[in-house]
Amino acid sequence: MKVKVLNRNEEEFTRERAQDLKKVHRNYEPALHQFQRAHEYTRALNAAKLQKVFAKPFIAALTHSDGITCLARNPRILNSLLAGSADGDIRIWDIPVQRTLRRLKGHTGAVKGISFAPDGETCVSCSTDCSVRLWKVPFAPLEPGPVEAEEAPVFEFQGRNAFRAIDHHWREHLFATAGAAVEVWSHERSEPVNTFTWGADSVLSVKFNPAESDVFASTGGDRSIALYDLRSARPIRKLVMQTRTNAVAWNPMEAFNFTAASEDCNLYTYDMRKLQAAACVHKDFVSAVMDVDYSPTGREFVAGGYDRSVRIFNFNAGHSREVYHTKRMQRVFCVRFSGDGSYVFSGSDDMNVRVWKADASEQLGVTLPREKHKAAYNKALINRYKHMPEVKRIVRHRHVPVAIHKASKMRRIVQDSDKRKLQRRIQHSAPGAITVKPERKKKIVAELE
Amino acid sequence: MADEPAEQELLTLQASSRKKKKPKQDAYLGGVSDRKLKGQLRHTERLYKEANKAAATINQWLAPSEAGFVEAEGIEETWQIQQQQIVAAVEQGAARKAFDLSLPDLGPYRCTYSRAGRHMLLGGEKGHLAVMEWQSGHLTCEVQVKETTRDVTFLHSEQFFAAAQKKYVYIYDKRGLEVHCLRGHAAPEVLEFLPHHFLLSSIGEQGVLHYQDTSTGQVVATHRTRLGPCDVMRQNPHNAVLCCGHANGTVTMWTPNITTPVVKMLCHRGAVKALAVDPTGHQLVTAGVDRQVKVWDIRTFKPLHAYFANSPATSLDISQRGILAVGQGRRLQLWRDCLSRKAAAPYLTHMLPLGGISSLRFCPYEDVLGVGTAGGVSSVLVPGAGEPNFDSFVANPYASIKERREQEVAQLLDKLQPDTIMLDPDTVGKVLKEPVDVAAQRRQEEAAANAARLASQRDKADERAKMKGRNKPTRRQKKKQMNIIEDKKPLLRAKIQEEERARKEVAQEAKRQKLESVPRALHRLYQ
């Protein structure tokens, strides 16, 4: 007779000394792990609730003496941010310590645009006083102390009319300004190297492509977005839309995609090779969208609107994933993503630059590997059960100011009634008499070459 | 290749059922037209596959222990092997696990184990309650409650246990001090604790099934079974549904959400004496007064096989590895591989020395069966009964104090809500989509009903508004009255006709009566 009875040796299953790690044994037999789905759903629900409990995105407000008109982040140093205001004051901020390191004095009109050079030590700013100034931007080590007023600019470029925007090339010492026309300047020359005109209207903004460095886009007062290449003598393409575009941002990870922030409360993502239809339409604002900026990951972008809110969108999503607002934040004129993709800066009319977290419930600071794992697990759980009604309700819930809530309700009513009317017209007319333009093509008037 | 058999074994551990043919690639993505979603689903499916493979590999190579067994040699059969022989043949540590506690005075005993199998709880009918670490023989607590105690069970850990006493259910802590008296449970006879939901349920003489949440104290549900007193109740560990056996031979299954039984099965001719459910939730074993032990498939509710005995079985239990223990009086029979196929002979047999069997419970993760008898408690060795490898995150017999505390917190955080208890536990998280044709039909019906309602509304409005000449209130009123009269006309007409007919009948009847009194030759004169 052969017999064996289970007999475990306690020493094999427990630790010898208090310094040793405790022994963990796993058995993945499904019979031992019952109710896995129900447990996962419970954990997902708890994770969604905790996410809301820990969602505190506002970090700090950095004050100026007049409304903020432009922001620029240093491509080389994560801490440093430049903000220009309507009284001509430019400040270099050290974000973690929340203090002004330098004040760049020189402009007499509102500073309309600032941009860093790729080396992170020089920056250019343009203003309504028809000048562009080149500054040296030193960065001091972290020490608390009084704000030091800065020296004069290194160089001053004079133009013929007021400038509306400026953007620096990502590789070379060139920058482009927007005013009456698009002008490309070099650091060494006092006259523009190149001038691009198409039509007689004013140019509102200009943006260089970080990936494809010689390509840049501009937006004009004639409701157009124009694409240029520095290697060619004239502009390449022009896309005319139904409403004016306030700002353009290029996707740093996908060289051919850019997002345009339009006056009609939407953002449109285009592939520059196929301008017949938008790749994506991003809707959620109830007033004009003033500025847009991509995250360095290229997976999301932040946009600031005239309706006093800042929204973060996923790069391919039709609606925002997050909305930030405060009673004290007035019209948002400029937004930037931080260099590590964790923070969002918004400059608004109430003279403050606000620092927000990109992920509202993220734990800042150094996290232990177990904390990181737990945060990733919670995120994955919510992602898996996001269609369940309870989880969906909690994850979707956002408090939004009354004005925005009412305005979006009104927009929804108007949209629904327009849609209904159109459907009825189609129903009661000859088939093929009424053509419906897809949403992505609706706002495009023409594409010119 | 050496990997081939390993691959085969790896596939057996996947939770999904094995199919004979390998399924077509991406067959599950057939109905999805959204490319983004398709890509995401493919990615998720690949992750699942990899996780399954990893889990199967770990189970195959990293398991520290092997299951027990007993093999007879020569012409000997396993059921001829005596318990003393087994105890003599195994090593000392294992032999110590078989013992008999003789407690003749305090009534038939109920014996149960904690989830990790380290602690044993005894409850004598005359009020003797004791918790002991049975392997070391250390007595944790012992208390005499001086009342009839019909059943005992551990709660979420060995720190607390509940006793079904004469009138109410009492909760005691590990020192034997009474912590709670649960008056909602009336005259309880059996207790069951659902560990994932923290629900303590009881049923008794009044046939009322009572669910109470032991973490918050809230009474979740009270169901009147209306089937008389019930003293047979077991939980289905797969879906936390309670199975009750009744005196009319039916087995009913209950969830806290529905006041009527979810399932009602007629199992025996005569009362159901004992019940047990397979740990995987596939089979149900019932024993009735008709001396049959029947095996049912719980997913399809169909009978699989029936075993016949010379006397009715009074206790049943199924171990983690599927060994069925049947108790008939003093005789204990253990059957192996008897659920999915009909076994010809038992695996082991044993006669209890202390008295008649009143309860049977297998110890989790050990090859031991705890038998509560009329004269005490016996621990019987059953090689191959327990799961050899435990999972530290589910139940750790070697848990330290800190680990036990953290496990309690984790259990509470993961506590499931009682409304997730359903016959198929995998329904949680599923999106129930009605088929396209059903949805279309429903929409059609809704549209038709809507159209009919609108048409009737329009007609009514038209009726009221149609006027010839000046639209004065008096004229409108007149018209309304006319409308009323018009509406009533057919009814009145029908009524008048009815009256006419009735009158005619009466007249005819009178005539007939009159004619009867007159000789037939003169009928012509009266017609």
Side-chain angles (χ1 to χ4, degrees):
Chain A
M1 174 189 73
K2 275 197 284 197
V3 62
K4 177 190 178 271
V5 167
L6 275 179
N7 188 22
R8 290 188 194 94
N9 191 355
E10 188 156 348
E11 280 141 18
E12 275 177 47
F13 292 88
T14 48
R15 59 183 184 180
E16 268 182 49
R17 297 163 293 175
Q19 304 138 328
D20 291 342
L21 289 174
K22 289 203 176 121
K23 294 190 181 172
V24 168
H25 301 272
R26 298 310 306 263
N27 184 349
Y28 291 101
E29 195 64 52
L32 292 180
H33 299 271
Q34 302 284 2
F35 301 101
Q36 274 185 6
R37 288 209 79 159
H39 278 307
E40 259 192 3
Y41 170 70
T42 309
R43 285 182 200 154
L45 198 57
N46 289 341
K49 290 176 184 172
L50 284 176
Q51 207 185 50
K52 282 284 166 255
V53 167
F54 292 127
K56 297 185 167 128
F58 179 69
I59 296 176
L62 315 168
T63 321
H64 273 233
S65 48
D66 205 346
I68 316 288
T69 47
C70 51
L71 286 175
R73 72 167 174 88
N74 194 326
R76 288 304 171 102
I77 302 171
L78 282 179
N79 297 356
S80 155
L81 181 76
L82 266 182
S85 61
D87 60 357
D89 189 25
I90 303 175
R91 293 190 195 205
I92 309 176
W93 288 96
D94 184 0
I95 305 289
V97 191
Q98 293 171 33
R99 93 181 177 100
T100 311
L101 286 170
R102 293 284 189 276
R103 260 217 207 120
L104 306 179
K105 282 202 139 114
H107 279 298
T108 48
V111 181
K112 280 296 185 179
I114 347 172
S115 188
F116 266 97
D119 59 3
E121 286 169 21
T122 324
C123 77
V124 284
S125 66
C126 73
S127 154
T128 48
D129 64 357
C130 313
S131 69
V132 175
R133 282 161 216 258
L134 181 79
W135 315 80
K136 273 274 174 230
V137 182
F139 194 73
L142 294 139
E143 12 172 273
V147 165
E148 301 173 41
E150 171 56 49
E151 59 282 357
V154 167
F155 199 73
E156 200 177 312
F157 302 85
Q158 268 301 328
R160 251 164 286 138
N161 359 51
F163 290 107
R164 301 288 290 266
I166 195 167
D167 197 38
H168 202 287
H169 196 280
W170 286 83
R171 298 260 172 93
E172 292 161 31
H173 281 196
L174 292 171
F175 57 90
T177 57
V182 175
E183 289 167 335
V184 181
W185 309 66
S186 166
H187 285 204
E188 291 87 34
R189 306 271 210 83
S190 59
E191 289 295 319
V193 166
N194 225 334
T195 312
F196 297 93
T197 43
W198 193 338
D201 226 325
S202 59
V203 187
L204 300 173
S205 79
V206 72
K207 239 347 161 5
F208 269 97
N209 189 335
E212 191 65 50
S213 344
D214 285 326
V215 171
F216 64 100
S218 78
T219 58
D222 56 351
R223 300 175 275 118
S224 65
I225 307 172
L227 295 171
Y228 309 80
D229 194 323
L230 280 180
R231 296 163 286 201
S232 80
R234 6 173 3 172
I236 310 171
R237 286 268 193 293
K238 197 171 188 181
L239 178 70
V240 182
M241 295 184 60
Q242 280 183 7
T243 51
R244 200 181 69 202
T245 306
N246 286 324
V248 163
W250 290 92
N251 189 331
M253 286 293 138
E254 292 167 5
F256 35 81
N257 287 341
F258 65 90
T259 303
S262 174
E263 268 297 298
D264 69 351
C265 320
N266 295 342
L267 295 116
Y268 300 92
T269 300
Y270 289 98
D271 182 335
M272 78 175 176
R273 308 165 294 186
K274 305 166 204 158
L275 289 173
Q276 309 92 352
C280 195
V281 179
H282 311 277
K283 295 183 171 193
D284 253 344
F285 280 101
V286 297
S287 196
V289 191
M290 303 307 290
D291 197 13
V292 61
D293 188 42
Y294 262 92
S295 160
T297 60
R299 302 310 265 180
E300 51 191 18
F301 59 86
V302 61
Y306 198 70
D307 64 354
R308 305 187 173 105
S309 68
V310 171
R311 282 180 192 268
I312 301 179
F313 293 79
N314 279 332
F315 76 112
N316 56 1
H319 292 276
S320 59
R321 74 162 176 85
E322 193 69 79
V323 57
Y324 295 150
H325 59 88
T326 329
K327 271 203 180 127
R328 295 184 182 195
M329 182 161 78
Q330 300 305 313
R331 318 287 179 183
V332 181
F333 286 123
C334 43
V335 285
R336 282 292 177 272
F337 237 108
S338 76
D340 58 352
S342 314
Y343 304 97
V344 154
F345 309 112
S346 68
S348 53
D349 210 14
D350 58 299
M351 309 190 256
N352 282 325
V353 175
R354 282 185 176 79
V355 183
W356 311 82
K357 284 193 230 175
D359 179 3
S361 38
E362 189 187 0
Q363 189 182 0
L364 295 177
V366 178
T367 45
L368 298 169
R370 286 176 67 186
E371 284 176 328
K372 281 197 191 111
H373 177 76
K374 178 77 184 195
Y377 179 59
N378 282 350
K379 240 185 180 170
L381 277 172
I382 292 171
N383 197 31
R384 183 180 280 193
Y385 289 95
K386 60 179 183 275
H387 61 277
M388 295 295 288
E390 272 299 311
V391 178
K392 191 176 184 179
R393 186 182 69 89
I394 293 169
V395 168
R396 216 167 65 104
H397 178 258
R398 292 278 182 297
H399 176 259
V400 139
V402 169
I404 297 177
H405 183 70
K406 287 203 168 151
S408 60
K409 254 173 124 176
M410 186 56 73
R411 279 173 70 83
R412 169 51 74 91
I413 291 169
V414 167
Q415 223 173 45
D416 285 347
S417 80
D418 283 345
K419 195 174 174 187
R420 219 173 15 238
K421 189 165 185 175
L422 180 67
Q423 276 185 353
R424 285 184 187 149
R425 284 180 66 207
I426 293 170
Q427 255 180 9
H428 297 283
S429 45
I434 300 180
T435 48
V436 182
K437 254 189 166 180
E439 192 70 34
R440 292 164 198 209
K441 288 192 184 177
K442 234 193 229 179
K443 301 294 176 88
I444 298 174
V445 170
E447 190 193 337
L448 310 168
E449 234 172 285
Chain B
M1 290 255 287
D3 275 334
E4 288 290 321
E7 276 287 319
Q8 287 292 321
E9 284 180 53
L10 291 185
L11 289 172
T12 61
L13 271 175
Q14 284 181 19
S16 57
S17 61
R18 238 190 310 166
K19 294 200 177 88
K20 289 235 159 70
K21 263 192 298 185
K22 196 173 175 200
K24 206 166 52 153
Q25 192 84 25
D26 293 351
Y28 60 92
L29 293 176
V32 179
S33 55
D34 183 2
R35 275 186 301 173
K36 250 189 244 173
L37 184 60
K38 242 187 186 169
Q40 282 170 3
L41 286 174
R42 242 184 244 125
H43 174 69
T44 322
E45 196 64 28
R46 195 168 47 79
L47 288 176
Y48 283 7
K49 230 182 183 173
E50 282 171 22
N52 263 342
K53 263 202 184 141
T57 322
I58 289 171
N59 263 29
Q60 190 179 27
W61 299 112
L62 293 180
S65 322
E66 299 268 324
F69 60 87
V70 66
E71 279 169 14
E73 278 160 353
I75 50 164
E76 202 188 16
E77 300 277 341
T78 54
W79 50 266
Q80 292 168 331
I81 300 173
Q82 300 281 322
Q83 183 66 209
Q84 295 100 299
Q85 286 176 286
I86 295 175
V87 171
V90 295
E91 52 191 1
Q92 207 182 30
R96 261 209 301 262
K97 294 185 184 178
F99 56 84
D100 293 311
L101 286 176
S102 170
L103 304 155
D105 311 315
L106 293 163
Y109 275 83
R110 300 280 267 214
C111 160
T112 180
Y113 292 93
S114 65
R115 259 189 107 195
R118 209 179 159 87
H119 296 258
M120 180 204 263
L121 168 63
L122 333 163
E125 194 142 329
K126 299 220 167 61
H128 180 208
L129 302 175
V131 177
M132 58 186 282
E133 268 182 62
W134 60 278
Q135 288 192 37
S136 56
H138 168 69
L139 185 69
T140 310
C141 83
E142 189 173 12
V143 65
Q144 172 58 258
V145 298
K146 299 182 194 135
E147 249 192 350
T148 318
T149 309
R150 295 221 178 80
D151 198 11
V152 286
T153 180
F154 274 113
L155 295 187
H156 58 273
S157 74
E158 67 277 2
Q159 305 289 304
F160 296 96
F161 61 93
Q165 294 181 210
K166 187 164 152 203
K167 275 197 194 161
Y168 309 121
V169 169
Y170 290 81
I171 294 182
Y172 299 87
D173 81 338
K174 68 169 195 280
R175 292 177 298 172
L177 299 173
E178 181 193 315
V179 179
H180 295 290
C181 168
L182 307 176
R183 279 176 228 270
H185 303 253
E189 297 224 0
V190 211
L191 292 176
E192 270 293 322
F193 184 71
L194 306 174
H196 295 269
H197 305 79
F198 278 75
L199 289 177
L200 179 63
S201 55
S202 74
I203 195 166
E205 268 176 85
Q206 296 178 6
V208 175
L209 180 57
H210 194 89
Y211 284 90
Q212 186 161 17
D213 187 330
T214 51
S215 60
T216 58
Q218 190 200 10
V219 172
V220 172
T222 311
H223 299 319
R224 294 169 63 189
T225 58
R226 294 174 206 268
L227 290 166
C230 170
D231 62 350
V232 178
M233 179 171 78
R234 293 296 287 266
Q235 63 167 300
N236 182 340
H238 178 60
N239 56 13
V241 157
L242 289 175
C243 308
C244 302
H246 301 277
N248 60 357
T250 53
V251 166
T252 51
M253 299 197 192
W254 300 83
T255 61
N257 313 316
I258 305 175
T259 48
T260 51
V262 180
V263 176
K264 233 178 176 178
M265 288 164 59
L266 179 63
C267 290
H268 290 281
R269 288 195 199 144
V272 175
K273 295 294 285 177
L275 258 196
V277 187
D278 187 33
T280 53
H282 294 336
Q283 285 109 3
L284 167 73
V285 183
T286 57
V289 180
D290 55 357
R291 291 171 292 147
Q292 281 187 341
V293 172
K294 286 188 177 174
V295 180
W296 306 81
D297 182 338
I298 259 189
R299 292 171 298 175
T300 53
F301 308 108
K302 294 217 159 66
L304 290 176
H305 1 272
Y307 297 87
F308 296 81
N310 46 8
S311 67
T314 50
S315 319
L316 287 175
D317 196 30
I318 305 180
S319 83
Q320 281 174 321
R321 291 188 84 237
I323 293 187
L324 173 69
V326 183
Q328 300 165 290
R330 270 183 192 241
R331 192 152 27 115
L332 171 69
Q333 279 188 347
L334 293 143
W335 295 75
R336 186 170 61 169
D337 283 342
C338 60
L339 300 175
S340 34
R341 64 173 185 88
K342 186 155 183 183
Y347 174 49
L348 293 171
T349 55
H350 184 51
M351 284 290 276
L352 274 306
L354 296 170
I357 298 173
S358 54
S359 94
L360 288 174
R361 283 297 151 107
F362 278 99
C363 180
Y365 310 108
E366 292 287 345
D367 281 344
V368 155
L369 171 65
V371 187
T373 62
V377 169
S378 286
S379 179
V380 172
L381 287 184
V382 181
E387 171 62 50
N389 304 302
F390 59 85
D391 190 317
S392 309
F393 295 114
V394 170
N396 187 356
Y398 300 99
S400 64
I401 295 174
K402 204 170 178 186
E403 279 174 329
R404 182 186 46 77
R405 284 188 194 142
E406 299 209 354
Q407 192 172 51
E408 199 168 337
V409 174
Q411 275 180 328
L412 278 167
L413 283 173
D414 283 344
K415 184 181 88 163
L416 303 176
Q417 293 304 312
D419 38 9
T420 58
I421 298 177
M422 49 191 85
L423 280 178
D424 180 16
D426 288 334
T427 322
V428 175
K430 269 197 188 151
V431 178
L432 288 176
K433 201 175 164 203
E434 53 183 356
V436 178
D437 44 356
V438 171
Q441 193 182 23
R442 184 174 54 81
R443 255 182 269 124
Q444 242 178 14
E445 280 168 12
E446 275 175 15
N450 220 14
R453 183 177 60 84
L454 284 171
S456 78
Q457 266 185 358
R458 219 178 295 123
D459 285 340
K460 260 201 213 155
D462 285 342
E463 234 174 59
R464 275 191 225 117
K466 237 188 280 180
M467 285 283 337
K468 258 184 178 170
R470 242 179 94 186
N471 192 3
K472 287 196 295 188
T474 40
R475 289 194 74 189
R476 258 187 278 140
Q477 178 70 9
K478 252 192 226 167
K479 181 145 192 205
K480 257 196 199 164
Q481 299 286 36
M482 281 310 296
N483 279 345
I484 293 167
I485 292 167
E486 289 292 336
D487 279 351
K488 279 194 181 163
K489 262 193 187 160
L491 294 166
L492 283 170
R493 209 172 288 138
K495 206 168 156 194
I496 290 167
Q497 273 179 3
E498 190 76 283
E499 278 178 19
E500 197 67 83
R501 214 195 0 241
R503 217 171 1 94
K504 268 200 188 147
E505 284 266 64
V506 166
Q508 273 210 352
E509 183 73 317
K511 214 189 211 175
R512 207 167 45 75
Q513 290 241 348
K514 204 167 175 200
L515 278 177
E516 270 171 14
S517 59
V518 164
R520 249 224 226 161
L522 301 172
H523 274 182
R524 202 165 34 92
L525 298 170
Y526 288 92
Q527 269 181 7

